[in-house]
Amino acid sequence: MKIKEKIKNTCLQQLNERGMDQVSLRSIASELQISHGNVAYHYANIDKIVEALYYDLIEKLNQRVDSELQSDVQFESMYASVLFLLQSFYEYRFIFQHFDAILR
């Protein structure tokens, strides 16, 4: 896994566990055992990582919708899609918990 993906994954984990106010480039760097500058090289600030995570979520959901549109709609596939949606929302729960702060 590339360092940029590791940074996003670590940030996602920290945001979900700690919340927006408790996560910084330094906390991410510390957990990954890399320099703050290395994190800042890839993402100038937390807002840039949050934006990347938001687009990751949107891409994930769009891929699922596209695959569902190309198949026959059946109860099992609808159930699987709803389950996938809920799991995705849980995986990126910080976005919904801090939605107002993110919009600002």
PDB file of all heavy atoms in Angstrom, residues 38-66:
ATOM      1  N   ASN A  38       6.398  14.415   6.003  1.00  0.00           N
ATOM      2  CA  ASN A  38       6.013  13.404   5.024  1.00  0.00           C
ATOM      3  C   ASN A  38       4.505  13.406   4.826  1.00  0.00           C
ATOM      4  O   ASN A  38       4.017  13.319   3.694  1.00  0.00           O
ATOM      5  CB  ASN A  38       6.506  12.031   5.480  1.00  0.00           C
ATOM      6  CG  ASN A  38       6.521  11.007   4.372  1.00  0.00           C
ATOM      7  OD1 ASN A  38       6.059  11.252   3.273  1.00  0.00           O
ATOM      8  ND2 ASN A  38       7.046   9.839   4.667  1.00  0.00           N
ATOM      9  N   VAL A  39       3.764  13.522   5.910  1.00  0.00           N
ATOM     10  CA  VAL A  39       2.304  13.597   5.807  1.00  0.00           C
ATOM     11  C   VAL A  39       1.906  14.886   5.099  1.00  0.00           C
ATOM     12  O   VAL A  39       1.074  14.882   4.189  1.00  0.00           O
ATOM     13  CB  VAL A  39       1.634  13.497   7.197  1.00  0.00           C
ATOM     14  CG1 VAL A  39       0.136  13.678   7.080  1.00  0.00           C
ATOM     15  CG2 VAL A  39       1.971  12.181   7.868  1.00  0.00           C
ATOM     16  N   ALA A  40       2.523  16.004   5.502  1.00  0.00           N
ATOM     17  CA  ALA A  40       2.203  17.306   4.910  1.00  0.00           C
ATOM     18  C   ALA A  40       2.561  17.365   3.426  1.00  0.00           C
ATOM     19  O   ALA A  40       1.944  18.102   2.664  1.00  0.00           O
ATOM     20  CB  ALA A  40       2.906  18.413   5.680  1.00  0.00           C
ATOM     21  N   TYR A  41       3.544  16.591   3.014  1.00  0.00           N
ATOM     22  CA  TYR A  41       3.914  16.539   1.596  1.00  0.00           C
ATOM     23  C   TYR A  41       2.740  16.003   0.756  1.00  0.00           C
ATOM     24  O   TYR A  41       2.470  16.489  -0.330  1.00  0.00           O
ATOM     25  CB  TYR A  41       5.147  15.643   1.407  1.00  0.00           C
ATOM     26  CG  TYR A  41       5.483  15.379  -0.040  1.00  0.00           C
ATOM     27  CD1 TYR A  41       6.151  16.335  -0.800  1.00  0.00           C
ATOM     28  CD2 TYR A  41       5.114  14.180  -0.652  1.00  0.00           C
ATOM     29  CE1 TYR A  41       6.457  16.104  -2.131  1.00  0.00           C
ATOM     30  CE2 TYR A  41       5.410  13.935  -1.988  1.00  0.00           C
ATOM     31  CZ  TYR A  41       6.081  14.895  -2.718  1.00  0.00           C
ATOM     32  OH  TYR A  41       6.373  14.666  -4.037  1.00  0.00           O
ATOM     33  N   HIS A  42       2.060  15.010   1.293  1.00  0.00           N
ATOM     34  CA  HIS A  42       0.945  14.393   0.562  1.00  0.00           C
ATOM     35  C   HIS A  42      -0.363  15.149   0.751  1.00  0.00           C
ATOM     36  O   HIS A  42      -1.182  15.214  -0.165  1.00  0.00           O
ATOM     37  CB  HIS A  42       0.776  12.935   0.992  1.00  0.00           C
ATOM     38  CG  HIS A  42       1.934  12.074   0.599  1.00  0.00           C
ATOM     39  ND1 HIS A  42       2.160  11.684  -0.701  1.00  0.00           N
ATOM     40  CD2 HIS A  42       2.945  11.548   1.333  1.00  0.00           C
ATOM     41  CE1 HIS A  42       3.247  10.944  -0.753  1.00  0.00           C
ATOM     42  NE2 HIS A  42       3.746  10.846   0.463  1.00  0.00           N
ATOM     43  N   TYR A  43      -0.577  15.676   1.956  1.00  0.00           N
ATOM     44  CA  TYR A  43      -1.814  16.410   2.275  1.00  0.00           C
ATOM     45  C   TYR A  43      -1.437  17.632   3.108  1.00  0.00           C
ATOM     46  O   TYR A  43      -0.897  17.495   4.197  1.00  0.00           O
ATOM     47  CB  TYR A  43      -2.795  15.533   3.063  1.00  0.00           C
ATOM     48  CG  TYR A  43      -3.283  14.339   2.295  1.00  0.00           C
ATOM     49  CD1 TYR A  43      -2.741  13.076   2.506  1.00  0.00           C
ATOM     50  CD2 TYR A  43      -4.301  14.480   1.346  1.00  0.00           C
ATOM     51  CE1 TYR A  43      -3.196  11.970   1.787  1.00  0.00           C
ATOM     52  CE2 TYR A  43      -4.754  13.376   0.629  1.00  0.00           C
ATOM     53  CZ  TYR A  43      -4.197  12.127   0.857  1.00  0.00           C
ATOM     54  OH  TYR A  43      -4.642  11.039   0.151  1.00  0.00           O
ATOM     55  N   ALA A  44      -1.751  18.800   2.607  1.00  0.00           N
ATOM     56  CA  ALA A  44      -1.365  20.045   3.268  1.00  0.00           C
ATOM     57  C   ALA A  44      -1.984  20.199   4.654  1.00  0.00           C
ATOM     58  O   ALA A  44      -1.390  20.796   5.545  1.00  0.00           O
ATOM     59  CB  ALA A  44      -1.739  21.249   2.399  1.00  0.00           C
ATOM     60  N   ASN A  45      -3.190  19.658   4.830  1.00  0.00           N
ATOM     61  CA  ASN A  45      -3.872  19.761   6.121  1.00  0.00           C
ATOM     62  C   ASN A  45      -4.954  18.682   6.222  1.00  0.00           C
ATOM     63  O   ASN A  45      -5.204  17.958   5.258  1.00  0.00           O
ATOM     64  CB  ASN A  45      -4.473  21.169   6.311  1.00  0.00           C
ATOM     65  CG  ASN A  45      -5.371  21.567   5.161  1.00  0.00           C
ATOM     66  OD1 ASN A  45      -6.233  20.799   4.727  1.00  0.00           O
ATOM     67  ND2 ASN A  45      -5.175  22.774   4.645  1.00  0.00           N
ATOM     68  N   ILE A  46      -5.576  18.603   7.377  1.00  0.00           N
ATOM     69  CA  ILE A  46      -6.614  17.593   7.609  1.00  0.00           C
ATOM     70  C   ILE A  46      -7.781  17.771   6.639  1.00  0.00           C
ATOM     71  O   ILE A  46      -8.361  16.792   6.169  1.00  0.00           O
ATOM     72  CB  ILE A  46      -7.113  17.652   9.079  1.00  0.00           C
ATOM     73  CG1 ILE A  46      -6.027  17.146  10.019  1.00  0.00           C
ATOM     74  CG2 ILE A  46      -8.391  16.859   9.274  1.00  0.00           C
ATOM     75  CD1 ILE A  46      -5.715  15.668   9.868  1.00  0.00           C
ATOM     76  N   ASP A  47      -8.113  18.998   6.323  1.00  0.00           N
ATOM     77  CA  ASP A  47      -9.224  19.245   5.398  1.00  0.00           C
ATOM     78  C   ASP A  47      -9.007  18.556   4.054  1.00  0.00           C
ATOM     79  O   ASP A  47      -9.960  18.048   3.454  1.00  0.00           O
ATOM     80  CB  ASP A  47      -9.426  20.746   5.180  1.00  0.00           C
ATOM     81  CG  ASP A  47      -9.923  21.454   6.414  1.00  0.00           C
ATOM     82  OD1 ASP A  47     -10.437  20.780   7.332  1.00  0.00           O
ATOM     83  OD2 ASP A  47      -9.800  22.694   6.471  1.00  0.00           O
ATOM     84  N   LYS A  48      -7.776  18.529   3.592  1.00  0.00           N
ATOM     85  CA  LYS A  48      -7.475  17.869   2.313  1.00  0.00           C
ATOM     86  C   LYS A  48      -7.668  16.355   2.417  1.00  0.00           C
ATOM     87  O   LYS A  48      -8.131  15.722   1.469  1.00  0.00           O
ATOM     88  CB  LYS A  48      -6.043  18.188   1.866  1.00  0.00           C
ATOM     89  CG  LYS A  48      -5.805  19.642   1.580  1.00  0.00           C
ATOM     90  CD  LYS A  48      -6.620  20.104   0.399  1.00  0.00           C
ATOM     91  CE  LYS A  48      -6.329  21.569   0.096  1.00  0.00           C
ATOM     92  NZ  LYS A  48      -7.194  22.098  -0.939  1.00  0.00           N
ATOM     93  N   ILE A  49      -7.337  15.782   3.575  1.00  0.00           N
ATOM     94  CA  ILE A  49      -7.540  14.340   3.756  1.00  0.00           C
ATOM     95  C   ILE A  49      -9.038  14.044   3.857  1.00  0.00           C
ATOM     96  O   ILE A  49      -9.526  13.077   3.267  1.00  0.00           O
ATOM     97  CB  ILE A  49      -6.798  13.810   5.001  1.00  0.00           C
ATOM     98  CG1 ILE A  49      -5.318  14.163   4.945  1.00  0.00           C
ATOM     99  CG2 ILE A  49      -6.977  12.295   5.112  1.00  0.00           C
ATOM    100  CD1 ILE A  49      -4.531  13.794   6.189  1.00  0.00           C
ATOM    101  N   VAL A  50      -9.756  14.863   4.594  1.00  0.00           N
ATOM    102  CA  VAL A  50     -11.207  14.680   4.723  1.00  0.00           C
ATOM    103  C   VAL A  50     -11.861  14.771   3.351  1.00  0.00           C
ATOM    104  O   VAL A  50     -12.742  13.967   3.021  1.00  0.00           O
ATOM    105  CB  VAL A  50     -11.802  15.710   5.710  1.00  0.00           C
ATOM    106  CG1 VAL A  50     -13.317  15.735   5.633  1.00  0.00           C
ATOM    107  CG2 VAL A  50     -11.337  15.413   7.124  1.00  0.00           C
ATOM    108  N   GLU A  51     -11.436  15.711   2.546  1.00  0.00           N
ATOM    109  CA  GLU A  51     -11.978  15.834   1.192  1.00  0.00           C
ATOM    110  C   GLU A  51     -11.691  14.569   0.378  1.00  0.00           C
ATOM    111  O   GLU A  51     -12.574  14.056  -0.321  1.00  0.00           O
ATOM    112  CB  GLU A  51     -11.367  17.054   0.502  1.00  0.00           C
ATOM    113  CG  GLU A  51     -11.885  17.305  -0.887  1.00  0.00           C
ATOM    114  CD  GLU A  51     -11.273  18.538  -1.538  1.00  0.00           C
ATOM    115  OE1 GLU A  51     -10.451  19.232  -0.909  1.00  0.00           O
ATOM    116  OE2 GLU A  51     -11.615  18.788  -2.704  1.00  0.00           O
ATOM    117  N   ALA A  52     -10.475  14.058   0.478  1.00  0.00           N
ATOM    118  CA  ALA A  52     -10.117  12.824  -0.241  1.00  0.00           C
ATOM    119  C   ALA A  52     -10.951  11.648   0.254  1.00  0.00           C
ATOM    120  O   ALA A  52     -11.405  10.818  -0.550  1.00  0.00           O
ATOM    121  CB  ALA A  52      -8.625  12.533  -0.073  1.00  0.00           C
ATOM    122  N   LEU A  53     -11.167  11.566   1.558  1.00  0.00           N
ATOM    123  CA  LEU A  53     -11.990  10.486   2.117  1.00  0.00           C
ATOM    124  C   LEU A  53     -13.433  10.602   1.652  1.00  0.00           C
ATOM    125  O   LEU A  53     -14.083   9.595   1.345  1.00  0.00           O
ATOM    126  CB  LEU A  53     -11.920  10.489   3.649  1.00  0.00           C
ATOM    127  CG  LEU A  53     -10.587  10.051   4.240  1.00  0.00           C
ATOM    128  CD1 LEU A  53     -10.541  10.362   5.730  1.00  0.00           C
ATOM    129  CD2 LEU A  53     -10.348   8.575   3.985  1.00  0.00           C
ATOM    130  N   TYR A  54     -13.948  11.810   1.586  1.00  0.00           N
ATOM    131  CA  TYR A  54     -15.308  12.037   1.088  1.00  0.00           C
ATOM    132  C   TYR A  54     -15.423  11.527  -0.354  1.00  0.00           C
ATOM    133  O   TYR A  54     -16.368  10.815  -0.692  1.00  0.00           O
ATOM    134  CB  TYR A  54     -15.655  13.529   1.171  1.00  0.00           C
ATOM    135  CG  TYR A  54     -16.927  13.873   0.438  1.00  0.00           C
ATOM    136  CD1 TYR A  54     -18.172  13.588   1.003  1.00  0.00           C
ATOM    137  CD2 TYR A  54     -16.891  14.465  -0.818  1.00  0.00           C
ATOM    138  CE1 TYR A  54     -19.345  13.885   0.322  1.00  0.00           C
ATOM    139  CE2 TYR A  54     -18.054  14.759  -1.497  1.00  0.00           C
ATOM    140  CZ  TYR A  54     -19.282  14.473  -0.927  1.00  0.00           C
ATOM    141  OH  TYR A  54     -20.429  14.764  -1.614  1.00  0.00           O
ATOM    142  N   TYR A  55     -14.463  11.890  -1.191  1.00  0.00           N
ATOM    143  CA  TYR A  55     -14.503  11.435  -2.580  1.00  0.00           C
ATOM    144  C   TYR A  55     -14.325   9.922  -2.689  1.00  0.00           C
ATOM    145  O   TYR A  55     -14.894   9.295  -3.581  1.00  0.00           O
ATOM    146  CB  TYR A  55     -13.477  12.183  -3.431  1.00  0.00           C
ATOM    147  CG  TYR A  55     -13.910  13.602  -3.731  1.00  0.00           C
ATOM    148  CD1 TYR A  55     -13.143  14.685  -3.325  1.00  0.00           C
ATOM    149  CD2 TYR A  55     -15.104  13.857  -4.401  1.00  0.00           C
ATOM    150  CE1 TYR A  55     -13.559  15.988  -3.585  1.00  0.00           C
ATOM    151  CE2 TYR A  55     -15.513  15.155  -4.679  1.00  0.00           C
ATOM    152  CZ  TYR A  55     -14.738  16.215  -4.254  1.00  0.00           C
ATOM    153  OH  TYR A  55     -15.148  17.495  -4.510  1.00  0.00           O
ATOM    154  N   ASP A  56     -13.561   9.332  -1.780  1.00  0.00           N
ATOM    155  CA  ASP A  56     -13.442   7.870  -1.747  1.00  0.00           C
ATOM    156  C   ASP A  56     -14.805   7.226  -1.465  1.00  0.00           C
ATOM    157  O   ASP A  56     -15.176   6.243  -2.106  1.00  0.00           O
ATOM    158  CB  ASP A  56     -12.444   7.414  -0.676  1.00  0.00           C
ATOM    159  CG  ASP A  56     -11.003   7.652  -1.068  1.00  0.00           C
ATOM    160  OD1 ASP A  56     -10.733   8.028  -2.225  1.00  0.00           O
ATOM    161  OD2 ASP A  56     -10.128   7.458  -0.189  1.00  0.00           O
ATOM    162  N   LEU A  57     -15.522   7.786  -0.503  1.00  0.00           N
ATOM    163  CA  LEU A  57     -16.851   7.262  -0.169  1.00  0.00           C
ATOM    164  C   LEU A  57     -17.793   7.389  -1.358  1.00  0.00           C
ATOM    165  O   LEU A  57     -18.490   6.433  -1.718  1.00  0.00           O
ATOM    166  CB  LEU A  57     -17.427   7.978   1.050  1.00  0.00           C
ATOM    167  CG  LEU A  57     -18.885   7.651   1.403  1.00  0.00           C
ATOM    168  CD1 LEU A  57     -19.054   6.166   1.732  1.00  0.00           C
ATOM    169  CD2 LEU A  57     -19.357   8.527   2.554  1.00  0.00           C
ATOM    170  N   ILE A  58     -17.802   8.550  -1.982  1.00  0.00           N
ATOM    171  CA  ILE A  58     -18.671   8.777  -3.139  1.00  0.00           C
ATOM    172  C   ILE A  58     -18.324   7.808  -4.260  1.00  0.00           C
ATOM    173  O   ILE A  58     -19.219   7.212  -4.890  1.00  0.00           O
ATOM    174  CB  ILE A  58     -18.576  10.238  -3.630  1.00  0.00           C
ATOM    175  CG1 ILE A  58     -19.095  11.198  -2.552  1.00  0.00           C
ATOM    176  CG2 ILE A  58     -19.330  10.432  -4.941  1.00  0.00           C
ATOM    177  CD1 ILE A  58     -20.513  10.952  -2.109  1.00  0.00           C
ATOM    178  N   GLU A  59     -17.046   7.598  -4.521  1.00  0.00           N
ATOM    179  CA  GLU A  59     -16.623   6.668  -5.570  1.00  0.00           C
ATOM    180  C   GLU A  59     -17.056   5.243  -5.245  1.00  0.00           C
ATOM    181  O   GLU A  59     -17.542   4.518  -6.116  1.00  0.00           O
ATOM    182  CB  GLU A  59     -15.095   6.733  -5.748  1.00  0.00           C
ATOM    183  CG  GLU A  59     -14.567   5.778  -6.797  1.00  0.00           C
ATOM    184  CD  GLU A  59     -15.066   6.060  -8.209  1.00  0.00           C
ATOM    185  OE1 GLU A  59     -15.415   7.217  -8.504  1.00  0.00           O
ATOM    186  OE2 GLU A  59     -15.129   5.116  -9.008  1.00  0.00           O
ATOM    187  N   LYS A  60     -16.896   4.860  -4.006  1.00  0.00           N
ATOM    188  CA  LYS A  60     -17.300   3.522  -3.564  1.00  0.00           C
ATOM    189  C   LYS A  60     -18.803   3.309  -3.783  1.00  0.00           C
ATOM    190  O   LYS A  60     -19.227   2.277  -4.299  1.00  0.00           O
ATOM    191  CB  LYS A  60     -16.945   3.378  -2.080  1.00  0.00           C
ATOM    192  CG  LYS A  60     -17.168   2.051  -1.475  1.00  0.00           C
ATOM    193  CD  LYS A  60     -16.678   2.091  -0.021  1.00  0.00           C
ATOM    194  CE  LYS A  60     -16.731   0.730   0.591  1.00  0.00           C
ATOM    195  NZ  LYS A  60     -16.168   0.698   1.936  1.00  0.00           N
ATOM    196  N   LEU A  61     -19.595   4.296  -3.398  1.00  0.00           N
ATOM    197  CA  LEU A  61     -21.047   4.199  -3.563  1.00  0.00           C
ATOM    198  C   LEU A  61     -21.444   4.223  -5.041  1.00  0.00           C
ATOM    199  O   LEU A  61     -22.326   3.473  -5.467  1.00  0.00           O
ATOM    200  CB  LEU A  61     -21.741   5.319  -2.791  1.00  0.00           C
ATOM    201  CG  LEU A  61     -21.560   5.290  -1.272  1.00  0.00           C
ATOM    202  CD1 LEU A  61     -22.219   6.515  -0.641  1.00  0.00           C
ATOM    203  CD2 LEU A  61     -22.083   4.015  -0.667  1.00  0.00           C
ATOM    204  N   ASN A  62     -20.788   5.071  -5.821  1.00  0.00           N
ATOM    205  CA  ASN A  62     -21.093   5.137  -7.257  1.00  0.00           C
ATOM    206  C   ASN A  62     -20.785   3.817  -7.956  1.00  0.00           C
ATOM    207  O   ASN A  62     -21.550   3.385  -8.826  1.00  0.00           O
ATOM    208  CB  ASN A  62     -20.322   6.271  -7.926  1.00  0.00           C
ATOM    209  CG  ASN A  62     -20.941   7.622  -7.674  1.00  0.00           C
ATOM    210  OD1 ASN A  62     -22.115   7.720  -7.331  1.00  0.00           O
ATOM    211  ND2 ASN A  62     -20.150   8.662  -7.818  1.00  0.00           N
ATOM    212  N   GLN A  63     -19.678   3.186  -7.599  1.00  0.00           N
ATOM    213  CA  GLN A  63     -19.337   1.895  -8.196  1.00  0.00           C
ATOM    214  C   GLN A  63     -20.407   0.855  -7.877  1.00  0.00           C
ATOM    215  O   GLN A  63     -20.794   0.070  -8.740  1.00  0.00           O
ATOM    216  CB  GLN A  63     -17.976   1.414  -7.702  1.00  0.00           C
ATOM    217  CG  GLN A  63     -16.812   2.161  -8.290  1.00  0.00           C
ATOM    218  CD  GLN A  63     -15.487   1.718  -7.692  1.00  0.00           C
ATOM    219  OE1 GLN A  63     -15.418   0.888  -6.802  1.00  0.00           O
ATOM    220  NE2 GLN A  63     -14.412   2.311  -8.195  1.00  0.00           N
ATOM    221  N   ARG A  64     -20.883   0.875  -6.651  1.00  0.00           N
ATOM    222  CA  ARG A  64     -21.916  -0.088  -6.258  1.00  0.00           C
ATOM    223  C   ARG A  64     -23.212   0.162  -7.019  1.00  0.00           C
ATOM    224  O   ARG A  64     -23.853  -0.758  -7.516  1.00  0.00           O
ATOM    225  CB  ARG A  64     -22.139  -0.019  -4.744  1.00  0.00           C
ATOM    226  CG  ARG A  64     -23.153  -0.990  -4.214  1.00  0.00           C
ATOM    227  CD  ARG A  64     -22.702  -2.422  -4.437  1.00  0.00           C
ATOM    228  NE  ARG A  64     -23.694  -3.367  -3.978  1.00  0.00           N
ATOM    229  CZ  ARG A  64     -23.423  -4.408  -3.222  1.00  0.00           C
ATOM    230  NH1 ARG A  64     -22.194  -4.660  -2.853  1.00  0.00           N
ATOM    231  NH2 ARG A  64     -24.378  -5.224  -2.852  1.00  0.00           N
ATOM    232  N   VAL A  65     -23.601   1.419  -7.114  1.00  0.00           N
ATOM    233  CA  VAL A  65     -24.834   1.762  -7.837  1.00  0.00           C
ATOM    234  C   VAL A  65     -24.705   1.366  -9.304  1.00  0.00           C
ATOM    235  O   VAL A  65     -25.634   0.788  -9.880  1.00  0.00           O
ATOM    236  CB  VAL A  65     -25.160   3.268  -7.691  1.00  0.00           C
ATOM    237  CG1 VAL A  65     -26.242   3.697  -8.657  1.00  0.00           C
ATOM    238  CG2 VAL A  65     -25.565   3.584  -6.264  1.00  0.00           C
ATOM    239  N   ASP A  66     -23.566   1.667  -9.907  1.00  0.00           N
ATOM    240  CA  ASP A  66     -23.362   1.303 -11.318  1.00  0.00           C
ATOM    241  C   ASP A  66     -23.465  -0.203 -11.526  1.00  0.00           C
ATOM    242  O   ASP A  66     -24.078  -0.651 -12.489  1.00  0.00           O
ATOM    243  CB  ASP A  66     -22.001   1.801 -11.812  1.00  0.00           C
ATOM    244  CG  ASP A  66     -21.954   3.305 -11.975  1.00  0.00           C
ATOM    245  OD1 ASP A  66     -23.031   3.940 -11.982  1.00  0.00           O
ATOM    246  OD2 ASP A  66     -20.832   3.846 -12.081  1.00  0.00           O
TER     247      ASP A  66
END
